[in-house]
Amino acid sequence: MVPQGPARLALIGVTTAVLAQTFRFALPQLNHFADEAGAAVAAPVVLAVFLAGFLAPLVRRAAGPSGLLATGVGALLLVRLLAQALTPQTWLALVGVAVGALAVTALYEGARGLSGVGFATAAVAGLAVDTAVRVAFATWDPVWRSGIGPWLVCLVFVALGGLALYRELASGAVEAPGVSWRDALGAAAFGPFMALQVLVLSSPAFVASSGWRSLTIAHVIVVVGQGLALAFLASGLAVRAVPGGVAVLGGTVLGVGAAAIAGTYAVTGIEVVPVVVVGQVLAAWLLAVASRSPLRRAGHGGAVWRIDVGAALGGLLVGVILISYQVSALQPMPFPNNALPGLAGILLGALAAITAARGGPLPARAPQRA
């Protein structure tokens, strides 16, 4: 009853990896845009591009679910190709962020029918590959490099994503259930999850600098965390139904840990290692719990575009957290910037709690599919 095949998992993994790459190359360009144009001009423009995900219901109405998937993911892959060819520029960063916000909504369309565990597994695996690529280029994204190596990496991501997208479109759209607003909010969890991954959890450069480790050791630490997250998702423990309070507790622990190691008043040293490793497991588990309701096949309620709105909210949260964190390094804010990664963790737990009791446990065969 659940669509099978590695193409769906590949599509989720590649899209997640390219999203992370796009946000990373866009952030410095948005900062440059703010310096040149001024905060009064830059702020509404940047906000507008992160709000682009809310166009998803209109795209769905005009082109159908397959059109939304093709537009979001296809345009994201095209932006990645252009960024490699032209090197990152301000206009491309703005387009990339807008397309990325739309791709978040398309991601839930392409993943429909998978369990939350399958979705989270593919997302973590995609980030693991992305992390390995960054370390291979000494933490400099290939998009900033020229030569055969960076181009090969780019073409592999784009080609694999394009093939997976073609396979998904050829298989036809998966029928969506009726959903309540409570169910749809689970799709917003991808935003805090991605913000934490970009800032802390999947960043070997952060672990190396804050943990006082070499880049090689930092990569090993991140890989251990990602490996444990994947093992936990596949163990069968993650498929069990959990009370909302447990999800809130997990998000609070994740948020407090992230706030303790990232920001102006962060601790440094060996303490960073367990926070990153445990944080990877908690973030993957909470994403799996939150995603089960918006991805399920059965249910009664409102129109499917509610999931588009929930996922678009997640795309907006990525921008709010990442942009605010970057701005805090340049000018004072009314609160310590440690609060931003802390907020991401707490939001992830809260959104998982909202949908935790919906639909019961995940399918028992989810670990085998993953």
Side-chain angles (χ1 to χ4, degrees), residues 148-338:
I148 296 177
W151 263 107
L152 283 177
V153 169
C154 172
L155 292 176
V156 167
F157 274 110
V158 172
L160 184 59
L163 288 173
L165 177 60
Y166 171 78
R167 179 68 180 273
E168 182 64 24
L169 293 173
S171 66
V174 179
E175 184 178 355
V179 292
S180 66
W181 281 112
R182 177 177 176 176
D183 297 331
L185 276 177
F190 188 79
F193 170 82
M194 181 60 74
L196 279 173
Q197 296 291 339
V198 172
L199 279 178
V200 178
L201 298 180
S202 292
S203 176
F206 170 82
V207 177
S209 60
S210 296
W212 304 344
R213 309 289 129 185
S214 68
L215 183 59
T216 301
I217 297 299
H219 185 211
V220 171
I221 293 167
V222 173
V223 167
V224 168
Q226 291 168 332
L228 288 175
L230 293 172
F232 177 76
L233 291 171
S235 68
L237 296 174
V239 306
R240 302 182 184 278
V242 295
V246 176
V248 170
L249 176 61
T252 302
V253 171
L254 176 61
V256 170
I261 64 172
T264 304
Y265 302 102
V267 298
T268 57
I270 193 65
E271 295 88 348
V272 172
V273 176
V275 174
V276 170
V277 172
V278 175
Q280 281 282 6
V281 177
L282 284 174
W285 168 63
L286 291 171
L287 180 65
V289 172
S291 298
R292 77 171 109 179
S293 290
L295 294 179
R296 73 179 194 275
R297 293 290 304 277
H300 302 283
V304 66
W305 59 261
R306 291 181 176 185
I307 297 175
D308 299 336
V309 173
L313 176 61
L316 176 61
L317 289 174
V318 174
V320 169
I321 294 169
L322 294 182
I323 294 294
S324 298
Y325 191 86
Q326 183 162 342
V327 169
S328 67
L330 304 175
Q331 60 186 33
M333 299 188 72
F335 53 86
N337 59 358
N338 302 69

Side-chain angles (χ1 to χ4, degrees), residues 29-51 94 97 316 319-320 323-324 327 331:
Q29 296 301 314
L30 296 181
N31 182 47
H32 180 64
F33 172 60
D35 288 340
E36 288 190 337
V41 174
V45 173
V46 172
L47 177 62
V49 296
F50 274 105
L51 287 170
L94 293 170
V97 167
L316 176 61
V320 169
I323 294 294
S324 298
V327 169
Q331 60 186 33

